[in-house]
């Protein structure tokens, strides 16, 4: 999302609302990261924790949840912005 917003500011042909197209991509990446963390946690349990990486799985889960929260808040912000634009006229 931040890259899309900066691109919207610096590029003449791209508006700020065009940056909203990055929201589903960010959400999909976050959900994918959450699923990969779940699979890694299962592998760690199956190998009786010999595979290691329990801390990395925990951090990746937190980052994935943070990514989902950012995508949800960005979609709410864009939704309210559109609502305000429609009510303005």
């Amino acid at each position: 999302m931040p890259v899309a917003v900066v691109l919207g500011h610096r590029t003449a042909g791209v508006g700020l609302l065009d940056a909203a197209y990055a929201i589903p991509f960010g959400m999909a990446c976050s959900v994918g990261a959450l699923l990969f963390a779940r699979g890694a946690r299962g592998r760690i349990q199956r190998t009786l924790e010999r595979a290691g990486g329990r801390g990395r799985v925990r951090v990746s889960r937190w980052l994935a949840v943070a990514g989902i929260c950012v995508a949800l808040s960005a979609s709410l912000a864009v939704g309210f912005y559109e609502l305000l634009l429609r009510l303005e006229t």
Side-chain angles (χ1 to χ4, degrees):
M1 281 307 303
V3 172
V5 170
V6 168
L7 183 68
H9 281 297
R10 295 189 190 256
T11 307
V14 179
L16 186 58
L17 283 180
D18 293 331
Y21 291 115
I23 295 172
F25 178 72
M27 179 66 87
C29 287
S30 297
V31 169
L34 199 58
L35 292 175
F36 278 126
R38 182 178 179 195
R41 187 181 65 192
R43 181 173 179 198
I44 289 171
Q45 289 175 349
R46 280 193 307 273
T47 60
L48 302 175
E49 300 193 19
R50 287 180 298 202
R54 176 174 264 200
R56 284 180 288 202
V57 170
R58 187 178 302 125
V59 169
S60 65
R61 227 180 1 204
W62 279 103
L63 288 174
V65 169
I68 290 171
C69 291
V70 167
L72 287 175
S73 65
S75 63
L76 282 172
V78 169
F80 278 117
Y81 182 71
E82 282 290 325
L83 178 69
L84 290 175
L85 284 180
R86 295 198 190 277
L87 292 177
E88 183 180 31
T89 59

